[in-house]
Amino acid sequence: MAVIQNIVLSVIGFSGGIAVAGGVFAFISILGIIPRMADRMGLASHIYQMETVIAAGGIAGCVVSIFQVHLGIGMAGLIIIGLFAGAFVGSLAMALTETLKVVPVLCQRANLRFGLPILITALGVGKAVGSLFQLYFIRMK
């Protein structure tokens, strides 16, 4: 009976993971992040390779997370992975912000005529400080 229960739980968990991953990649596709980044970097002919690398990174992250693989990359490797993960999350957040036209609506409603670079810098610094606060004070307990 326990074997059947474990099989059913495994199938449900795997199905839920596939659904969530599919939703995330569909979200990234709909926002058009990859073509936009490829265009800005001058790599428009390599869009399929970029999509493949992003999907492979997502799969590798899931495998490392689920099976708790010990990578032994040291502090330097952790910093590099953290920088790449932060750049990805930041790109996703800014693409969503750009798609939803958050900044122009905020500027119009706040009657902001100047200081837009200061506002964007403050948003970025606030995100960085909040992430560091979460890392050092909440997760380290």
Side-chain angles (χ1 to χ4, degrees):
M1 188 65 166
V3 174
I4 294 173
Q5 185 179 13
N6 286 338
I7 290 172
V8 170
L9 287 174
S10 297
V11 169
I12 291 172
F14 186 71
S15 301
I18 288 175
V20 169
V24 168
F25 287 118
F27 184 65
I28 290 170
S29 298
I30 288 171
L31 289 178
I33 294 172
I34 298 168
R36 187 173 294 147
M37 286 177 62
D39 184 44
R40 294 208 177 159
M41 292 188 299
L43 300 171
S45 62
H46 301 288
I47 290 176
Y48 294 116
Q49 289 86 357
M50 290 176 71
E51 290 174 346
T52 302
V53 168
I54 289 172
I59 292 168
C62 288
V63 168
V64 169
S65 176
I66 290 173
F67 296 112
Q68 297 179 358
V69 178
H70 178 72
L71 298 176
I73 56 176
M75 187 59 74
L78 184 64
I79 290 170
I80 291 170
I81 289 175
L83 287 173
F84 280 121
F88 175 76
V89 170
S91 297
L92 185 64
M94 289 310 294
L96 180 61
T97 301
E98 183 180 335
T99 301
L100 297 177
K101 309 287 188 228
V102 171
V103 175
V105 170
L106 175 68
C107 290
Q108 182 181 8
R109 290 190 180 176
N111 200 15
L112 186 65
R113 300 284 182 227
F114 59 93
L116 185 59
I118 295 170
L119 175 68
I120 293 174
T121 303
L123 289 171
V125 169
K127 174 76 173 151
V129 169
S131 297
L132 290 172
F133 179 79
Q134 179 186 10
L135 175 69
Y136 289 115
F137 294 113
I138 296 175
R139 290 194 179 175
M140 295 296 179
K141 287 185 178 182

